[in-house]
Each structure stands twice: as C-alpha cells, then as structure tokens.
Amino acid sequence: MTDKEDSGRYFEPYPEAGWTLGEGQTNFEKHQQYKEDEGEDKWAPFGNEYESRLSYLPKKIDFSSGREEWGLAEWLVKSLGQTKTDEFLKLPITQNRTKPSFHNNRSFLQKVDALPHGPAWNCKKVSIKGNRTDENGQLLHEDLELWTRDPVECIKELIGNPLFKEYMVYAPSRAYKDEAGSERIIDDMWTADWWWDKQRELPEGATIAPIILASDKTMLSQFRGDKSAWPVYLSIGNIAKEKRRQTSAHATILIGYLPATKLDCFTSDARSLGGYRLFHHCLSLLLEPLIAAGQDGVDMCLIACCKENRCPKCLVAANERGDLLNSLMRDPELTKEILERRRSGQHPVEFDEYGLRAVYKPFWADLPHTDIFLAFTPDLLHQLHKGVFKDHLIKWCLDIVGETEIDARFKAIPDYPGLRYFKKGISSIKQWTGTEHKEMQRVFMALITGAVPSRVLIVVRALLDFCYYARLHMHTSESLDALENALAIFHAHKDVLQELAVREHFNIPKLHQLSHYVQSIKLFRAADGFNTELPERLHIDFAKEAYRASNKRDYEEQMVLWLQRQESIFWRTTYLEWVAARAVCRTERESEYNSDSDDENEGFDAVPVVSQDIIHVLAKTAPHPRQSVQHLETMHGAIDFLPALKLFLQKHLPHNHIVPGPQDRFDIFRQVVIILPPDPRVSELPKCLRVRATPETLPSSSGRKPGSPKRFDMALVSSDGIQASKALLTLNAAVCVAQVRVLFRLPRQFGAYSRPLAYVEWFTPFREPDESSGLRQISRSTRHLRRNSAVIHVDEIIRPCHLIPKMGQSVNPTWTSANVYELASEFYLNTFIDLETFCMSTTST
C-alpha cells in the first residue's frame, strides 16, 4: 500500500486512474483570451459609452467608470425588479449625475444578456393523452412544457470552473486512520467503495464523474393560488462536499423544470400512474445526453417504478418493513425484464411480488454504469429529523407521558448558548422546520429520562444515537459499527411500545430506510453529503425567487430568463475575481524571480497550520471595570470569592504578601470565547463556543429596554489544573464540570499576572453511565455544607457543557429555565447538546 499522511490520515490511491490526457482552456481562460483579442476592457460592455464621451480628456486620468458601472449593474440585477430598475434609471439624478451607458431597463438588460452565462435553456413540448373524454367523445390531452439544459454541458461547466480547482478529485482513494490501514475512514465520495469498485470496470486511466441528482416539487405561491415548480438539480461527486454544501459556491446547478401539472385529463384512479409515466418520460428527455456521454447517474418510489408501500432499494415485503431483515436488493436488469414482459402482455408473478408499477420505459433504463436502486441515498432531513424523530419518536413519547408533562419539561430546560428554548413547550407548535427537529434532539434524551419506563428509554437512546452517528461528516469502521448497533438495539427493544399500546406495528417506510444507511455510506460517502437540506434551500434561489420576479403568468419562461441573468452576473463576478487573483499570483512570481534573497527555504510553499490547541479569547477591555467584592457576592453569587482567591494566590503567587479583602476591585468580563480545533468527524472548521458569566439585569425604568436573566454557564474544566488542550476533549477522570460565576483579572496590586481567572463552583466527578439512558449523573460538590468553589485559570476551561436536571416521573412545577440550576440537586450531563460533545462521550476513557 502506498501511504501518504495528510492531517492524520493515510491514503491508498487507486492505481492507474484519473490520467491527465491533455490540457485545455477553461471558460474563464477562453473569455480572457477573447477579451484580449478583441481589445476589450474587462468591464465591457459596461462603461463603454460613458468613457467614449470623455475620450477628449487626458489619458493619464484613470476613470474607473467601467468598474463603477459594473457595480451598479450587479446591484440592479440582484436587488431590483424590472419595473423598479426602469424607475431608477429614469430618475433625474441617475440621468444627469450618474449617467450610466444604459438609459432604461430594456437597454440595461441588453447588456446583461450579452454577458457569458452557463449552458443555454431549451423548451421541449410534451403532449400527454389522458383517459377522460370531452363532450365529443375525444380523449382529453394536455400540452406541457419541459425546460431543460444539457446536463453534459453543465458537468463540463463544473469540472472546468477554476474556483473548484482546490476542491476537485479525479481518482478514488482509500483513507485510513493509521499507517497499518486497520481502521478505514469514509467521508467524501472518493473515499467510499462505489467509486473504487466502478473504476475496476473501466479502462486504465479513466476518470469518473459521479453524477448527483436531486429533485422535489415545491410550492411557489405562499398564501393564495396553487402554483408549483419541479426543479431538478445536478452536481458531481468530484467536488468536495464541504464546497458542494455552500449554496453561494454554485456547485449544484439547476438543469431543468419538470412539468408540474394536475393531470386533469386523467380520471382519479388513473392519475397516479399517469404522473409516474410523465415523470419518467420527462426525465428521460432531460438526461438523454448522458447516455451518449456514458455518465452515471427523486420521491424514491416514483423513480424506482415501485408502489409507495414498498422499499425502493430492496425486495422486503410490504408487511415486513418493521423487522431488521437482510432482504435482497432490487436488480435493475431484472426489473427492466419484468416490466418488458408485462408490457408485452404477459403476467409475471414478480410484477406484483416486487410491488412494481406499469412504467415500461423508466428514465434510468439506458443510463450506463447505473444501478438506480443503489443510487437512492440516505435523506437525513425527511427520513431522520422529520420522519423517525418528529413523526414517530416524539409522538410515541407524547402518548406515554402526555402533552402537559412534556411541555413542562421543555420549559424547565436550562439555557445554553445557541440552544432554542421552547418557552411554551412543543404541543402548540403547528409547523416545524428541520432546524427545530434538531434543536429538540439536543435535549430530548435527558428530558424524557424518568418520565418513561427504562425499556422505552433504551428505544429513545438507540434512535437518538442513530441520528447523531448518521450526521457525522467522517466515518470510521468503529462509527459504522456503532450506527449498525444502535439500529439493532432499537429493533431488539421496540416491542415495549406495542406492549404499552403506543404502536400496533412498525411497518414504517422511513424506519425501514435506516437499515440501508450503512451500506450507502460505505458505497458512496458520509450521509451529510446526501442531505436534502441543500436542495430545499436551493428551492428559494432557483424557484421561489425566480417566480416572484415573474408576472405570475406563463411564469416558467420568465423564470429561466431571470435565472440566466442572475447566472450571468455571478459568472462575471467570479471571472473578475479570478482575473484579479491571477494578477496577484503573476506579481508574486515576478517578485520571486527578481529577489536576491539567499533564504534556503526560498521556493517552498507555505503550508497553513491549524492550531491543535484550545484558544481562549476575552474582550480587549473589560466591559465592567472595578467591580466590588460585594457586587460579585450578591449579583454573581460568588459567596466564597475571597477565600477561594486567597487559596489561589497561596498556590500560584506564594511570594505575594497582599491579602485580598472587601476593599479590592476587579475588572469583570461577560464571557470567554473558546475556539476548539476542528474535529474531522463533525466539521473541517474550528468551533467557536461561549462561556457566559452575566448577572441578571432589570428592565429600564422606562420599560423600553427589557431585562435579561442571569447566565452562569456550565463548563468542562481540567481538574488537575493544567491548560485545556485537544487531549482533554474526552470525558475522562481529568475532566470535571464547574459552573462559571465570574471572569476577571487580578488587580495590579497583586503583581503582574497576565492569565485571566475564573471563579467556579465544582460538581462531583462523573458517575457511571445509566444503563437505560446512557447519561452520566452528577451533583453539586459541597465542602463544610457550602458549595465547593475555587479560582482557576480561564485557560483551564475546555468548553461549555449543558446539564439537565433529573426531573423524575413528574417535573417540579417551580422549576424554570432561569432557576433550575439553583433549585435542582441532581443533573445529567447532556451529551447530545452538539455533535462534538456526543463524540467526546463515545470516546471516553
């Protein structure tokens, strides 16, 4: 195995893949060459007429009219509609002072339409004949419009975009955590099995461009009307998922609008099948160029040509989806054969056994290198967050506990920076978002503990574990085993819900889909790269905003024209950024060639290094200077501040002879920002967290400024007094929980001491995890019947943490989010507060 270390990972590249056969010009390079050959300014066609009016002025004067007019054009396209643009351009101040080279909206759009843009849009007419008849006995039909772009040209556009150069991979590799290759890592598509296995079927040196398609119908009108659109999006697996997930990067391209029709030409009993056939016919037309190009390729059952009550990936029986079975996967060749036999008038028994529909020409039938059934990937948003968690797990627990008790428990959840607080509970919420589902998951385990039987807790824990493991950005053999084990635990204990009459069966399609997650991750990549939250977000840009820019009549043609203009502006903006970056690189190279430096490191590229240490950041100036000890004792609750500070000074400043007293004053900070090094299992970026120590503020006398509750956050702290480091990001004996009451600096009279300090109140060491919930229980630490407190260095704080009180079967009605930390005596460490804490809990030593 060829080993290559990169950020703690070792790679085994696939031999003889992704050969470079030649070099060509990118679209940016072609455009730049065209500009130079034509002698055009890079800002053209903007600013030309205005500059010609000033041609009599001395050439040495640098008029940046092209740049300024381009900025105006960019703003007009992004911010104003056509009517408002026309009004703006006709203003006297615009015509007499700004004097752009376009005088109305029509001349402005002519310039915009002259800009380069992506692959052109085409409209194809599709006629569909129904089974209903008119008054003359003739079958009704509908003439529909299918708007398409060439997917092959869109793929070329993505591959040739210089902005993706650093995020593009052309050959598969296997990644490992260790040099021996004993533990596999799977994150992006090129580290998974499908690409590696598919490469074996192709000639040496071949380059694969895995195609990712996403589609979903969306409503365009919000409060009235029933206008809808059916966008189809395309991206490629060569682009790193971290870049592909950024909507602003335009790494996912809109390639078509499928007809969104009610199919009134069909009777109600035939309308569903007619919709299936129309979908496949239109998608066949849209993807036809891929067949010749030899590329591989979005409701899943719609694509698989099977009924909605069947799994689109495997052949599990309709009444067995609630069991953890290893069913045979669907075979595309066999499926096509069964459909063809049915089409020819035969009645194969497999047609009904496999739950197929009479879609005789599925769009994927002729796509090369495509197993459409394997291509269905996990959908975290609809299957996990909205599906299994919100629609089922929450409902089961509500049936057991009752809405009143669940709401009371949500109201008593303590505050945490960035956590959504459900101040009215959850039963009154009518419309949920994916974000709210994830916010509920952050507290649900500890919240439900004590309210349901222990066997139900095991079920809840198993499903939440599955949700969190499935969200990891990087998987290892260990995490995939944990994902599989969580699902097995659920199935082993789910019968308790039937015993409690909460559920009659588990024949739930979305629950069954969880059984395919591990296979899909191993084949393709971590599930965060499949998430449909991105297409849902793209609906806003590519459907809803485009519809709002239309006059709402024959809107699809107007939508594609509006999108083309938006794309032209984005294309020109990124082109100008690319030109500027090339100019900087050219200047740097010239300065290197002209340098007389004898530096022995000359010629080596500088490699940015991300710190693996935990960084603590305080405000440059304390927002509350010279606060008295009495203020700290009363407002911050630091009742033993002076004794704790004396002990700290004796330990760390033994030569100091000044004894702190009530007369001393301290500079106080509101919070410390803690920057954690990136955890590749969760994110490629560092994590910024806050630990707050702010007393209660009362409303202003006028009532204009509302008050705010006290916020003294909990934190994980190094218990042996050493600085926080990456090594402490596990729940081991060297880590304890403390409540941070005061963040301060020592006054000058105690000597020069640069490290900021914190007054904290300790909790007991972690007890063994509870057998049912898996949560660790702690309580406040006391000494001589008083809270055990200490002054520590701020840099001993590892990160904030979240505690949830042990509520028992019924929550104390006096507890609120603001007072529960003071009133409760027993707490659970909430390991689900974020993915980083969850990973810490799974790697505890």
Side-chain angles (χ1 to χ4, degrees), residues 12 64 69 151 169 192 244 382 433 455 663 700 736 753 761:
E12 176 191 359
S64 56
E69 189 169 290
V169 172
R244 203 170 56 246
H382 294 96
T433 66
R455 291 171 62 199
Q663 74 282 356
S700 63
C736 281
Y753 202 79
E761 294 175 348

Side-chain angles (χ1 to χ4, degrees), residues 172-313:
S173 296
R174 282 178 174 161
Y176 302 93
K177 284 187 71 174
D178 58 334
E179 193 171 0
S182 59
E183 187 165 6
R184 181 90 176 273
I185 292 174
I186 297 175
D187 50 7
D188 264 302
M189 195 166 188
W190 53 83
T191 65
D193 289 339
W194 176 88
W195 197 335
W196 186 282
D197 294 339
K198 185 61 63 176
Q199 197 77 45
R200 292 173 175 165
E201 303 173 13
L202 301 176
E204 284 190 358
T207 300
I208 293 176
I211 296 172
I212 302 167
L213 294 176
S215 181
D216 188 23
K217 185 186 291 187
T218 182
M219 293 300 298
L220 298 176
S221 48
Q222 290 182 314
F223 303 110
R224 58 188 177 86
D226 55 355
K227 305 295 185 183
S228 59
W230 200 327
V232 181
Y233 304 107
L234 177 145
S235 189
I236 53 175
N238 309 79
I239 302 174
K241 62 182 179 180
E242 64 184 274
K243 175 60 66 174
R244 203 170 56 246
R245 285 198 302 263
Q246 299 173 8
T247 55
S248 59
H250 289 225
T252 299
I253 297 179
L254 177 70
I255 64 167
Y257 285 120
L258 303 182
T261 176
K262 295 180 180 179
L263 295 176
D264 291 330
C265 59
F266 286 93
T267 57
S268 58
D269 59 332
R271 192 167 295 140
S272 176
L273 180 57
Y276 269 64
R277 289 174 171 172
L278 175 63
F279 173 85
H280 280 269
H281 176 65
C282 290
L283 215 49
S284 296
L285 296 175
L286 176 62
L287 302 180
E288 187 176 9
L290 292 177
I291 299 174
Q295 300 292 334
D296 152 301
V298 162
D299 168 33
M300 291 187 188
C301 295
L302 176 63
I303 295 174
C305 304
C306 68
K307 297 178 180 178
E308 289 86 346
N309 66 344
R310 303 299 293 267
C311 175
K313 292 178 69 70

Side-chain angles (χ1 to χ4, degrees), residues 622 624-629 632 641-642 645-646 648-649 653 656 658-669 742-757 791:
H624 303 290
R626 298 184 54 75
Q627 298 295 309
S628 67
V629 173
L632 301 182
F641 181 80
L642 286 178
L645 182 57
K646 290 176 183 177
F648 176 86
L649 293 174
L653 293 173
N656 171 69
I658 300 176
V659 179
Q663 74 282 356
D664 292 313
R665 292 182 174 273
F666 299 84
D667 292 343
I668 305 302
F669 298 87
V742 186
L743 297 165
F744 67 101
R745 287 191 185 276
L746 273 181
R748 292 183 178 179
Q749 63 264 31
F750 295 100
Y753 202 79
S754 60
R755 294 169 71 182
L757 306 176
V791 170

Side-chain angles (χ1 to χ4, degrees), residues 5 58 71 120 151 155 267 296 412 452 543-544 568 574 604 713 736 741 773:
E5 187 175 3
I155 293 167
T267 57
D296 152 301
V452 298
K544 300 180 190 296
S568 296
T574 52
F604 289 91
D713 289 334
C736 281
R741 291 279 184 179
S773 69

Side-chain angles (χ1 to χ4, degrees), residues 1-66:
M1 182 179 76
T2 303
D3 297 324
K4 175 186 175 184
E5 187 175 3
D6 178 72
S7 302
R9 297 194 295 175
Y10 295 81
F11 289 89
E12 176 191 359
Y14 188 94
E16 312 300 335
W19 286 357
T20 301
L21 303 179
E23 293 187 5
Q25 285 186 313
T26 65
N27 287 338
F28 284 1
E29 290 168 332
K30 291 176 183 177
H31 187 64
Q32 186 180 43
Q33 186 65 49
Y34 169 81
K35 288 276 190 183
E36 292 173 356
D37 293 344
E38 296 295 320
E40 285 188 358
D41 180 77
K42 64 180 179 180
W43 308 105
F46 295 97
N48 293 347
E49 293 181 24
Y50 180 53
E51 288 179 355
S52 67
R53 298 178 202 155
L54 304 177
S55 59
Y56 61 88
L57 291 174
K59 293 295 183 182
K60 65 179 181 180
I61 299 178
D62 178 23
F63 285 93
S64 56
S65 60

Side-chain angles (χ1 to χ4, degrees), residues 27-29 31-33 35 42 163 570-580:
N27 287 338
F28 284 1
E29 290 168 332
H31 187 64
Q32 186 180 43
Q33 186 65 49
K35 288 276 190 183
K42 64 180 179 180
L163 299 181
F570 176 78
W571 197 99
R572 171 56 68 91
T573 301
T574 52
Y575 166 75
L576 293 172
E577 292 172 354
W578 174 79
V579 169

